[in-house]
Amino acid sequence: MNHEVIDGVPVLWAEAPGPLEAALLFGCGARDESFRTLGVTHLVEHLAMGTLPRLHHEHNASVGLTTTEFTCSGRPEQVVEFLGLVCRALGALPLERIEREAGVLAAEGGMSADPVTGELLSHRYGVQGVGLAAYQGPGPDRIPVEAVRETLARYFHAGNAVLVLTGPPPAGLRLPLPSGERPPRGATQPVLRGGAAWYQENVPSPGLALHGDLDDDALFLAVEVLANRLRETVRHQHGLSYDVGRDTVFVGPGQGERTLVLDAREGQDQRVAELLWAETVRLARDGMSEQELAEELAGVREAFQDPRSTPFELREAAAESLFGGDYRDADTRLDSLTRVTPDGARQALAQALRTAVLVVPCGTEPDVRQSDGTPLPKYSCGGGGQRLPAAGRTFRPPLLARLFSSNARRIRLVVDEAGLWMGHPDGTVCHVRYDEVVGVETDGPSRVVFGRNSCFIPVVSDLFPDAAPAVAAIDAAVPESLRYPVSAFRPTE
Ligand SMILES: [Zn+2]
């Protein structure tokens, strides 16, 4: 891999077959946003791409959880032109086009992660950082123009960019980006919920998240073996599932999530979730054979030695350089993988199992047990033990609703000086403290209050017609910058 610097931007390149491919990466993604500004990076990307003339070679742009990239492939002079146009656009973004691009974003409706992985991240990290993956936020038409300016100034400059190329930099290549300082990144975000548990959520299929060091080769191989076993059992033996998806999410140096997502045939979510969990526990307890490990290693070696993996390797190196990690080239990594033993892999999985979170679609009640046979705890809001406060003002649904619906009879909204509580018909209690509010959607006399802990409290007039004092308390306690009118693109949920 070759290193150069052009106009202050590090350039990493290596020869690969095919036309020249370029990816201009910025160390900015959905995890750098907040609930209130969700989608702002995507808006920046659209505003920049919207300035391009019609180009006849392949080009694209995308926003992930950690990075934004502008990519193209073609003849060297086409690559030079595209990169020059993108850099100049980022230095002079047409902010007057925000409204139009917001409509385009609403139509596109893209998410920065797989929906099951996104939900698992939100469970673990709350409504912040990578946990934002599960959310749409206030909507593209509610992104403040000030947030667009701040995101541009903070992240989209030469100091926070890396260019990767699948060949030497072509003659005349310039990267005329504004200059800037690499943004300081705080310590790793706190893990809100650590211990192993399962929970129900509105997801399309079951999924599992394991917390660990993404550079831990023993854990990497253990998860590969696990995925293969799941393909063997869930797919080939039982025919319950078509795909065993895997995802890795970088959270900070030395920390990340590995997720496994299994699609399930109609009506088979429970069995698929039980098999997913049982195979994970079994592998962490009983381990794997030398042969199983060798199989996975052979697959990895094949992938590393494929010349088509060069663009992927270049991006890995670029990400490490943006976020202060140590890039290990394919040979170094293979060498380290070869030294993983079956028991080392088993131990790594057993360690990660302590943080395992299993999500299942709502209504699914899997029988899942820990390695000692005891049931895996079920997570619910407030830990299942939270009670509504005795002091505080209580609101209930209208009398007529309470007469006809036992659910309405059980619903309570309680407001005190610290925040809001909501008692649900099933006995769970959601709680949002005022100092943990990440957004308040306003719609006439109604408010929906979103908390950093993933709870949201609908103080809506249909449900609580007499809640005007609660609305007044919310408006007084939550800063105006966090309140926004409901998006014109979406009805209140
Ligand atoms: Zn809740």
Side-chain angles (χ1 to χ4, degrees):
M1 202 173 290
N2 304 277
H3 298 245
E4 295 183 25
V5 176
I6 295 177
D7 292 326
V9 178
V11 180
L12 306 177
W13 65 271
E15 298 273 5
L20 182 62
E21 282 180 50
L24 181 60
L25 281 87
F26 292 88
C28 176
R31 72 165 175 153
D32 297 301
E33 303 173 351
S34 70
F35 180 83
R36 183 64 191 89
T37 66
L38 248 169
V40 66
T41 316
H42 202 180
L43 186 53
V44 165
E45 179 253 283
H46 268 237
L47 287 168
M49 291 297 275
T51 65
L52 300 184
R54 191 165 169 206
L55 299 171
H56 298 282
H57 59 96
E58 247 180 56
H59 62 287
N60 207 344
S62 62
V63 178
L65 275 172
T66 54
T67 55
T68 295
E69 58 176 58
F70 297 87
T71 58
C72 77
S73 63
R75 295 192 305 275
E77 65 273 20
Q78 291 173 318
V79 170
V80 168
E81 184 196 15
F82 174 81
L83 292 171
L85 287 168
V86 167
C87 291
R88 278 188 289 275
L90 287 167
L93 220 52
L95 297 182
E96 69 281 0
R97 300 226 297 244
I98 281 183
E99 207 173 316
R100 202 193 62 188
E101 286 303 334
V104 178
L105 286 183
E108 183 183 338
M111 297 295 280
S112 50
D114 160 83
V116 180
T117 292
E119 176 45 52
L120 287 160
L121 293 170
S122 150
H123 178 84
R124 180 96 77 198
Y125 298 97
V127 191
Q128 58 182 350
V130 295
L132 290 167
Y135 291 86
Q136 304 254 322
D141 55 341
R142 296 295 177 255
I143 298 169
V145 63
E146 203 36 54
V148 176
R149 286 203 191 91
E150 275 170 22
T151 299
L152 261 176
R154 191 171 164 84
Y155 297 109
F156 288 88
H157 51 69
N160 195 37
V162 175
L163 175 68
V164 302
L165 290 168
T166 60
L173 178 62
R174 299 299 306 268
L175 301 168
L177 284 168
S179 60
E181 294 281 312
R182 170 110 7 131
R185 295 193 178 269
T188 311
Q189 306 153 36
V191 175
L192 285 185
R193 302 177 188 106
W198 72 279
Y199 71 106
Q200 297 171 333
E201 191 46 73
N202 182 20
V203 285
S205 57
L208 180 81
L210 301 164
H211 183 80
D213 184 348
L214 295 184
D215 286 335
D216 180 350
D217 293 317
L219 180 59
F220 165 73
L221 281 175
V223 171
E224 292 299 301
V225 170
L226 176 58
N228 186 54
R229 283 199 182 175
L230 288 165
R231 268 192 298 275
E232 288 298 320
T233 52
V234 182
R235 176 171 174 165
H236 296 301
Q237 205 177 321
H238 298 288
L240 295 170
S241 175
Y242 171 73
D243 189 35
V244 179
R246 272 156 300 155
D247 225 333
T248 56
V249 178
F250 173 82
V251 176
Q255 297 212 47
E257 298 285 329
R258 292 191 178 277
T259 67
L260 285 150
V261 178
L262 273 67
D263 60 349
R265 230 170 59 204
E266 181 86 30
Q268 298 295 336
D269 287 322
Q270 182 189 333
R271 282 193 69 202
V272 168
E274 286 170 354
L275 286 164
L276 167 58
W277 181 257
E279 283 298 332
T280 309
V281 170
R282 195 159 71 90
L283 188 61
R285 187 189 57 212
D286 303 340
M288 63 208 76
S289 66
E290 289 275 1
Q291 161 122 44
E292 272 183 295
L293 198 61
E295 277 285 332
E296 296 314 318
L297 194 57
V300 174
R301 183 173 286 120
E302 195 69 37
F304 278 10
Q305 287 167 353
D306 189 327
R308 285 169 296 186
S309 71
T310 301
F312 172 79
E313 282 300 319
L314 285 165
R315 276 183 176 74
E316 289 284 291
E320 295 290 5
S321 129
L322 283 169
F323 303 126
D326 288 320
Y327 170 69
R328 298 183 300 161
D329 65 23
D331 287 343
T332 311
R333 196 145 176 242
L334 265 180
D335 186 50
S336 159
L337 285 162
T338 314
R339 278 182 271 123
V340 173
T341 63
D343 198 55
R346 182 197 66 74
Q347 280 181 35
L349 186 63
Q351 162 111 2
L353 189 61
R354 292 188 209 137
T355 67
V357 180
L358 175 72
V359 66
V360 299
C362 292
T364 308
E365 295 282 342
D367 179 7
V368 279
R369 283 162 192 283
Q370 306 184 82
S371 47
D372 63 3
T374 57
L376 180 68
K378 181 181 180 182
Y379 173 84
S380 63
C381 279
Q386 186 148 271
R387 299 273 165 270
L388 292 169
R393 192 155 175 180
T394 300
F395 301 88
R396 305 179 68 189
L399 183 63
L400 201 63
R402 302 204 305 262
L403 279 175
F404 292 107
S405 151
S406 60
N407 276 354
R409 279 197 289 282
R410 293 195 207 106
I411 291 176
R412 296 279 187 287
L413 167 69
V414 180
V415 179
D416 73 2
E417 68 279 2
L420 310 171
W421 278 260
M422 181 135 174
H424 296 283
D426 66 357
T428 58
V429 173
C430 283
H431 176 36
V432 176
R433 280 172 26 192
Y434 287 135
D435 60 1
E436 293 203 331
V437 169
V438 292
V440 175
E441 186 172 278
T442 69
D443 189 6
S446 296
R447 302 286 181 272
V448 182
V449 181
F450 295 88
R452 178 164 289 121
N453 61 355
S454 325
C455 283
F456 70 95
I457 310 235
V459 185
V460 294
S461 52
D462 294 355
L463 201 53
F464 305 108
D466 306 319
V471 167
I474 294 164
D475 289 354
V478 177
E480 197 182 348
S481 59
L482 293 178
R483 307 201 300 267
Y484 55 90
V486 63
S487 168
F489 297 122
R490 265 177 315 121
T492 312
E493 278 161 44

